[in-house]
Every structure is written in C-alpha cells, then in structure tokens.
C-alpha cells in the first residue's frame, strides 16, 4: 500500500486540481516513466541537453499553461497558480534536477516580463511560451555575483529612444537556448538607482555571444556577453527603481520553487534507500534490523514529511498575499533555506545507511546526493536567507497582529499579486498572526509540548538577552539565533498544515522529537560562540531539552518506513 504522505508515480492522482492540470501533471509523470531509469541516468551522466524533454513540454503546452498569467492567457487553463507549480516542481525534482532547472530559470526569466507594463514584451513572451521556448534571467555577473548595485552591464542611449548594451553575465541558466533573456543593467548617462534598466534580449541575436557552460552538467549555466547589442523601446521592461524592485520580487517568486524540488529528490532517493537497506543482509540480518539504521531512516522520513507539510502550507500564504498581508516574505526564505537544508539532512541520513550503494552509477541516489547540495545555494546562500529571516524575528515572536484565517488554497485561481508586489522594502514592518495557537492545538502531543517550551524560551531570549549593538554586527552569532527562530516558524506551519490535513499524531510526535534535538543542538552552538555573553550562555544551556521517548510510537513510525521497501522502483 502506497504511503499517502509521499509522491508515488504508481498511484499518483492529483485529484485536487482541475482536469487540464491533472492531465498535464499525469502526462509529465508518464513521460518520465516511459523513458525509464536507464535513459534518465544516462542522460544525466552524459550531460545531454534536454531537447527531448523540452519538445515534450512544448507539444503538451506544459510551460505555456502553467507559466502564463491570466492577463496574458490565450486559453482558459493558462494561469499562474502556485499550488500546481509546486506540484510540478516536486515531479521534476523526483526525476532529475536538470529538468527542474530548465523550468526554474524560465520562471525567473518571466518574472520581470510579467511585472512589466510593456505590452509588446508581454505578448512576445506569451507567444514564445506557446512555441515551447525557455527563458533566462540575466542578473548575476562573474565579478559581482548577485550584487546588482554593482552591475557592469552598461546601456548607452542610442538617441532614438533605445540603447546599446555592452557587458557580460554569469551563472545564467538556459542562456544557450532562451527565446527571451531578462537582463539587468544600468545606463551610462544616469547615476544611482534611477539608472537601472531591465531589458529583454534574444540568445539567437548575432550580438549575443554565448561564451560557455560554466558547470559540468546538462544544466546549461551560461556565461554570455552582449557586444553592441541593440535594445529598442519594445525591449525595455523596467527603468529606475522599478527595475531594482523587479529583480528582488522575481527572486521572491522563483526562490519558492527550490523547496518542492528538494522534496521530490528526497522522495525518489528514499524509495531506493529503504528498499536497498531492507533487502540487504548483514551478519545474517536485514540491515533494517539494526536500531541505529531504524532511527536514521525514521528521522529521514519524518523530516521529509515536515518538509512537505511546511511547503504546502507556505503555498497558501503565497496565494493569499496582498499589500496588507506580506507574511510570505518570511515563509519564502524559510522554504528556500530551511526546507532545502532539511533535504540535505534527509539524504545524509539515508546515505549513512546505504553507504557505498549511494555511489553506484545505476542508482538515482548517486545524482540525488550531488544535486541536493545545490538547492540551498541557489537564489542566495543559507547565510543570506538566514540574515533575511532574522529581520522578521521580533515582530513574529513578540508582536502579533490580527489576520483572517488563511484557508488551504488549491483553487484554480491566478496569483496576480506575485507580479504586483510593489517596492521591495519595509521588511521590518511586516506583521504576522500569533504563532502560539498552532502549538496550543497540539499541546497534548508530548514532543510538540516539549518543543513549545523551547519556543517560549526563545521569546525570553529576545526579550532579555538579545544581541546588543556590537553583537548585532557579529553575523556568526546571529546566524545561530536565526537557526533557532527558523525552527519555531518551521514548526508553526507544520502544525497548521497538520490541523488542515489531519496528519497522524504519531508522525507529528516523532517529527517534533527531531526538532527538539535540533533546537538543543543550535542552542549548544550558540553557547560556544566567541562573543556569547554569560547571560546568553546560561540561556542557551537552559533551553536544551530531551525529547519525550515513546518506544511504541517509534515502532509504529518504523512500520510506515519499512512499508516503503518495494513500494516504488522506476522501470528500466
């Protein structure tokens, strides 16, 4: 029997969506399954460009249906719907990050276009999507990375309302094939933010020079140069401060996709790992008979369930966002940082069990172990996202506001606000609903109650022992605090989703036993920081807790994990 909490191609039926969405999601799964594991792995190992996959996606209208907002739609099924986008992310991650990457950078490339008032550019993008084209996001540079204040892509006015662009971009996915590349630059005749420009370029134009793929992968992460590239008025997407805002708001939209890709990777790897461990005999016993193996696989399983619960609930906040409700700005870097690093832990736990098997070239796990590392490092590093998360800590923990309850959002609606986010500032003023009721609802679950003690202790820390002005410049110490705060937010959305989906309380209790251990570990880390004060050190050790142990509960969780053995294996 398939585990209802995990994606399984054998039983997948996305009945929560409209007929055309269900058809496209199922058609995508079937395309990969028909292709088979041998071809999937061989394409990954040979770094083959994804021409066959993109041909399939174009024929089915996959990208055009999922990535054309209703305002630019050519038929009724086209809309920007974060719930179904998340479902497709998970499928792509399950079969290979290379496929997800081509889709992800297409999303980024479309961000500045769908935020633009340039009707000609919007119409061109919609037509290119219909033709099955991919897109690219030309932001990063070799020297400056994503420091867009320092861009060296220079636009010189041509006297006819347009520009001539000169400069290069680096780490630009799909830069080899994009029908439209959204490129960020600055004018040579205007200083400061008023000089920023976002414009559309075509990778097939003679003045667009493709330099190389900077990674050894099917993912074409390009370096390209523009040499006297003509930028006409119809190519200009944004100017001035609006161009800067479009860059950051695009990352807000695209950053979210990393969490569900990580989930898909972990799900496929888990089927392989549990099946291998359960069928391997060591010292006359199945590997899964050893207590440490059971603990590691059970921890991996509940962490993965937590990743899914958090991400699913975050979708609801994205889809319900508005100028008066910007809570998604916290949950977004959380999905990017916390969920993806949880994915690394899930893979590492399973790899400790299957050991050398995880290196074998005929496994999906071998690529999962590599690709899972990239996700926390895309769209900003873990450190960048933790620093962003910290901006919301005081308001979230100590200063709640009243909001109407956010329901589960699986409706077939267009998420228009994501392209109308407005100025990318004012993060410190974002307010949140009270986090405590989510925990109160599960006060009878032993490890939720134990973790709540730690969450309350963090509020005490912020009130009585928060970093002073000098410590606030010590990012090393602040990142440990950020990890503690992230755990409270992680737990909150997991509990909200648990209530909405009636998640099994055994699973929840086992998951929170892991979170209790995590909080204790980060508290000990904070205790050891060079600049931690005596009060902070005392607080840190006082926040350490031991999870509530329940052998019967752990045995029931193990039965769920053990049932994954043989539940799915991709046909050759």
């Amino acid at each position: 029997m398939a585990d209802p909490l995990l994606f399984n191609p054998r039983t997948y039926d996305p009945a929560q969506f409209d007929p055309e969405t269900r058809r496209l999601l199922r058609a995508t799964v079937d395309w990969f399954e028909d292709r088979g594991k041998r071809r999937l792995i061989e394409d990954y190992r040979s770094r083959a460009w994804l021409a066959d996959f993109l041909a399939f996606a174009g024929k089915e209208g996959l990208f055009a249906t999922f990535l054309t907002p209703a305002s630019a739609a050519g038929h009724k099924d086209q809309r920007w719907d974060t719930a179904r986008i998340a479902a497709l992310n998970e499928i792509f991650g399950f079969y290979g990050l290379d496929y997800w990457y081509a889709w992800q950078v297409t999303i980024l490339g479309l961000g500045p276009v769908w935020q633009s008032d340039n009707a000609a550019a919007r119409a061109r993008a919609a037509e290119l999507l219909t033709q099955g084209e991919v897109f690219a996001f030309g932001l990063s540079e070799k020297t400056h990375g994503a420091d867009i204040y320092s861009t060296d892509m220079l636009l010189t006015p041509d006297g006819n309302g347009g520009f001539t662009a000169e400069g290069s971009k680096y780490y630009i996915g799909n830069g080899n094939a994009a029908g439209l590349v959204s490129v960020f630059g600055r004018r040579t005749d205007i200083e400061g933010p008023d000089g920023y420009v976002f414009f559309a370029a075509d990778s097939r134009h003679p003045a667009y020079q493709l330099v190389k793929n900077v990674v050894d992968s099917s993912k074409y992460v390009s370096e390209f140069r523009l040499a006297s590239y003509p930028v006409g008025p119809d190519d200009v997407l944004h100017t001035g401060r609006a161009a800067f805002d479009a860059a950051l708001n695009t990352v807000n939209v695209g950053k979210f996709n990393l969490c569900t890709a990580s989930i898909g990777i972990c799900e496929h790897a888990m089927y392989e790992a549990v099946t291998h461990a359960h069928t391997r005999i060591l010292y006359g016993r199945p590997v899964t008979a050893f207590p440490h193996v059971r603990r590691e696989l059970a921890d991996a399983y509940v962490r993965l369930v937590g990743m899914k619960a958090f991400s699913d609930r975050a979708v609801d906040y994205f889809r319900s966002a508005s100028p008066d409700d910007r809570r998604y700005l916290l949950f977004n870097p959380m999905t990017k940082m916390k969920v993806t690093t949880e994915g690394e832990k899930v893979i590492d736990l399973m790899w400790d069990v299957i050991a050398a098997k995880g290196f074998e070239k005929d496994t999906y796990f071998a690529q999962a172990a590599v690709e899972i590392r990239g996700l926390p490092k895309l769209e900003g590093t873990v450190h960048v996202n933790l620093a962003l998360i910290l901006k919301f800590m005081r308001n979230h923990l100590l200063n709640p506001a009243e909001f109407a309850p956010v329901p589960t959002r699986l409706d077939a609606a267009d998420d228009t606000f994501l392209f109308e986010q407005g100025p990318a500032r004012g993060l410190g003023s974002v307010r949140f609903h009270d986090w405590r009721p989510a925990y109160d609802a599960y006060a009878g679950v032993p490890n939720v109650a134990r973790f709540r003690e730690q969450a309350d202790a963090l509020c005490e820390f912020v009130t009585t022992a928060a970093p002073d002005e000098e410590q606030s410049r010590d990012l090393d110490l602040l990142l440990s605090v950020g990890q503690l705060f992230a755990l409270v937010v992680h737990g909150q959305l997991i509990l909200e989703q648990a209530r909405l989906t009636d998640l099994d309380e055994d699973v929840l209790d086992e998951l929170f036993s892991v979170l209790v251990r995590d909080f204790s570990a980060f508290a000990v880390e904070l205790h050891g920081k060079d600049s931690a004060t005596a009060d902070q050190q005392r607080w840190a050790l006082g926040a350490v807790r031991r999870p509530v142990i329940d052998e019967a509960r752990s045995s029931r969780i193990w039965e769920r994990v053990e049932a994954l053995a043989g539940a799915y294996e991709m046909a050759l």
Side-chain angles (χ1 to χ4, degrees), residues 177-194:
L180 188 153
V181 185
S182 295
V183 184
F184 185 85
R186 60 184 172 89
R187 297 174 59 148
T188 56
D189 61 328
I190 298 177
E191 293 293 327
D194 290 340

Side-chain angles (χ1 to χ4, degrees), residues 36-324:
K37 186 175 183 178
R38 185 178 292 114
R39 178 69 183 275
L40 192 80
I41 293 172
E42 180 56 32
D43 283 351
Y44 177 78
R45 292 179 60 231
S46 65
R47 290 88 166 164
W49 174 240
L50 313 174
D52 290 350
F53 163 68
L54 295 177
F56 154 77
K59 176 176 175 291
E60 295 291 343
L62 182 62
F63 288 16
T65 301
F66 277 49
L67 300 183
T68 307
S71 60
H75 62 75
K76 65 179 180 63
D77 294 308
Q78 291 181 338
R79 65 182 183 275
W80 196 283
D81 175 339
T82 304
R84 67 179 185 176
I85 286 172
L88 192 55
N89 284 328
E90 185 177 2
I91 291 169
F92 287 153
F94 190 91
Y95 290 107
L97 201 65
D98 290 348
Y99 305 97
W100 170 86
Y101 185 75
W103 147 268
Q104 157 70 358
V105 291
T106 291
I107 288 173
L108 291 170
L110 286 165
V113 179
W114 297 144
Q115 292 177 69
S116 176
D117 294 329
N118 185 330
R122 290 168 60 87
R124 188 185 352 158
E127 177 58 28
L128 288 169
L129 278 169
T130 300
Q131 295 170 9
E133 297 280 0
V134 293
F135 290 68
F137 186 54
L139 190 68
S140 296
E141 297 178 12
K142 188 172 186 178
T143 303
H144 307 296
D147 176 9
I148 56 181
Y149 295 99
S150 304
T151 178
D152 287 330
M153 177 62 70
L154 303 179
L155 291 94
T156 303
D158 64 6
N160 299 310
F163 303 92
T164 299
E166 294 276 351
S168 64
K169 294 289 180 178
Y170 203 76
Y171 291 136
I172 311 304
N174 291 351
N176 60 317
L180 188 153
V181 185
S182 295
V183 184
F184 185 85
R186 60 184 172 89
R187 297 174 59 148
T188 56
D189 61 328
I190 298 177
E191 293 293 327
D194 290 340
Y196 294 139
V197 180
F198 239 126
F199 63 97
D202 183 349
S203 70
R204 299 171 182 84
H205 193 282
Y208 179 105
Q209 300 173 358
L210 184 66
V211 178
K212 62 180 178 179
N213 186 355
V214 303
V215 299
D216 187 16
S217 170
S218 296
K219 293 182 282 295
Y220 206 105
V221 187
S222 70
E223 177 184 5
F224 71 79
R225 296 192 183 111
L226 301 184
S228 299
Y229 187 99
V231 179
D234 284 350
D235 299 321
V236 176
L237 303 173
H238 302 275
T239 58
R241 171 64 68 171
F244 181 89
D245 291 337
L248 297 186
N249 291 338
T250 294
V251 173
N252 284 342
V253 176
K255 184 182 294 186
F256 178 81
N257 298 302
L258 286 89
C259 65
T260 34
S262 180
I263 289 164
I265 291 173
C266 290
E267 287 171 318
H268 197 157
M270 178 158 279
Y271 288 121
E272 274 196 349
V274 175
T275 299
H276 170 71
H278 195 58
T279 56
R280 182 166 172 79
I281 305 300
L282 194 61
Y283 308 118
R285 305 164 67 192
V287 167
T288 50
F290 293 94
H292 69 289
V293 167
R294 292 190 173 193
R295 180 191 61 77
E296 289 183 309
L297 291 179
D299 281 3
Y301 173 79
V302 295
R303 284 187 188 275
L304 177 52
V305 171
M307 292 163 64
K308 293 197 73 167
F310 182 93
S311 301
D312 286 346
R313 186 59 176 148
V315 166
D316 301 332
Y317 287 98
F318 263 73
R319 304 199 72 197
S320 301
S322 71
D324 299 319

Side-chain angles (χ1 to χ4, degrees), residues 387-454:
L388 179 58
I389 286 165
L390 276 167
K391 294 179 183 292
F392 303 101
M393 182 170 69
R394 184 170 289 273
N395 268 356
H396 182 277
L397 291 178
L398 304 176
N399 191 24
E402 290 293 327
F403 287 92
V406 171
T408 299
R409 292 293 310 275
L410 294 171
D411 48 307
D414 195 56
D415 299 340
T416 56
F417 176 72
L418 295 180
F419 302 109
E420 300 169 357
Q421 295 176 60
R425 55 181 180 266
L427 301 185
S429 65
V430 176
R431 300 287 294 280
F432 300 88
H433 61 296
D434 193 344
W435 58 273
R436 295 168 183 83
Y439 285 88
D440 292 342
Y442 286 97
V445 176
N447 280 301
V448 175
R450 186 62 50 88
F451 185 82
R452 171 64 187 272
E453 295 173 16
Q454 295 176 306

Side-chain angles (χ1 to χ4, degrees), residues 305-556:
V305 171
M307 292 163 64
K308 293 197 73 167
F310 182 93
S311 301
D312 286 346
R313 186 59 176 148
V315 166
D316 301 332
Y317 287 98
F318 263 73
R319 304 199 72 197
S320 301
S322 71
D324 299 319
D325 182 358
R326 300 200 297 160
R327 288 175 284 178
Y328 74 102
L329 290 174
L330 166 60
F331 304 141
N332 189 23
M334 279 289 303
T335 58
K336 160 63 183 73
M337 184 282 297
K338 186 62 183 174
V339 176
T340 59
T341 53
E342 284 291 286
E344 287 190 287
K345 292 174 184 175
V346 169
I347 293 295
D348 286 343
L349 285 163
M350 294 188 291
W351 206 352
D352 280 346
V353 170
I354 68 171
K357 186 70 176 179
F359 293 97
E360 292 186 11
K361 66 181 182 180
D362 60 350
T363 65
Y364 174 84
F365 198 98
Q367 63 176 277
V370 173
E371 301 294 353
I372 200 72
R373 311 296 167 199
L375 289 164
K377 300 165 185 65
L378 297 170
E379 318 314 335
T381 64
V382 169
H383 307 126
V384 167
N385 283 282
L386 267 175
L388 179 58
I389 286 165
L390 276 167
K391 294 179 183 292
F392 303 101
M393 182 170 69
R394 184 170 289 273
N395 268 356
H396 182 277
L397 291 178
L398 304 176
N399 191 24
E402 290 293 327
F403 287 92
V406 171
T408 299
R409 292 293 310 275
L410 294 171
D411 48 307
D414 195 56
D415 299 340
T416 56
F417 176 72
L418 295 180
F419 302 109
E420 300 169 357
Q421 295 176 60
R425 55 181 180 266
L427 301 185
S429 65
V430 176
R431 300 287 294 280
F432 300 88
H433 61 296
D434 193 344
W435 58 273
R436 295 168 183 83
Y439 285 88
D440 292 342
Y442 286 97
V445 176
N447 280 301
V448 175
R450 186 62 50 88
F451 185 82
R452 171 64 187 272
E453 295 173 16
Q454 295 176 306
D456 287 336
L458 183 61
C459 293
E460 178 191 347
F461 174 85
V462 174
T463 304
T464 65
D468 59 22
E469 184 177 349
E470 183 177 349
Q471 284 182 313
S472 66
R473 294 189 290 272
D474 181 357
L475 189 57
D476 187 40
L477 179 134
L478 291 179
L479 292 178
S480 291
V481 177
Q483 291 282 11
L484 294 167
F485 173 52
L487 279 166
V488 176
V489 181
H490 189 57
Q492 176 195 349
L493 261 61
I494 289 170
L495 292 170
E496 290 184 13
Q497 186 68 7
R499 178 62 67 189
L500 291 167
T501 60
D502 197 25
L503 181 64
D504 185 286
E505 289 194 4
D506 278 346
V507 175
L508 206 54
D509 200 16
E510 193 79 9
L511 170 58
F512 271 81
S513 75
V514 172
L515 300 187
V516 168
R517 282 188 266 133
D518 287 352
F519 195 100
S520 297
F522 284 123
V524 171
E525 181 181 290
L526 176 62
H527 174 270
K529 292 298 180 184
D530 292 353
S531 66
T533 65
D535 285 345
Q536 289 167 347
Q537 292 172 50
R538 280 191 294 271
W539 175 88
L541 294 183
V544 172
R545 294 290 187 278
R546 173 182 167 82
V548 178
I549 307 302
D550 183 336
E551 292 184 4
R553 177 200 70 221
S554 296
S555 294
R556 292 191 295 272

